[in-house]
Amino acid sequence: MTDQSDRSVGPVDESARDELVRLRDSIDNIDAAVVYMLAERFKCTQQVGRLKAGHDLPPADPAREARQIARLRQLAESAKLDPAFAEKLLNFIIAEVIRHHETIANDLKS
């Protein structure tokens, strides 16, 4: 199998091409796992949002978010991942969760 983006580079050793395909297959599998894990996470946070809305709790919990960011930064360091990147990713996810919680709360009020 030849990736179109590799054709402009010129001839590539067959073993290098095989290794590239193997690595890309692994990346594709990891990407799929990440998507499914995020879907599971959002299923849980949707339940949290319904619980919060049902008890008139605010959509955001800054203290929890700060603890989660600190925890994720430590995990990132342990995993040899840039902690700043991990924090940016979690902040993006948190913003989406809060948006979902706000929508759930607004829907319950309607």
Side-chain angles (χ1 to χ4, degrees), residues 3-11:
D3 186 329
Q4 293 293 336
S5 64
D6 296 330
R7 289 184 182 201
S8 63
V9 180

Side-chain angles (χ1 to χ4, degrees), residues 30-90:
I30 293 166
D31 287 347
V34 167
V35 167
Y36 280 97
M37 291 302 295
L38 282 171
E40 285 301 310
R41 188 185 195 288
F42 279 106
K43 286 177 189 174
C44 291
T45 60
Q46 292 286 341
Q47 292 175 334
V48 168
R50 287 190 289 278
L51 185 62
K52 283 181 170 184
H55 290 83
D56 204 27
L57 296 169
D61 184 345
R64 160 93 174 145
E65 293 157 19
R67 287 191 307 273
Q68 285 297 95
I69 288 168
R71 179 178 159 271
L72 199 69
R73 286 184 68 92
Q74 288 178 336
L75 288 170
E77 286 179 24
S78 296
K80 306 290 190 249
L81 180 68
D82 179 6
F85 170 76
E87 183 173 346
K88 286 177 192 175
L89 177 61
L90 187 59

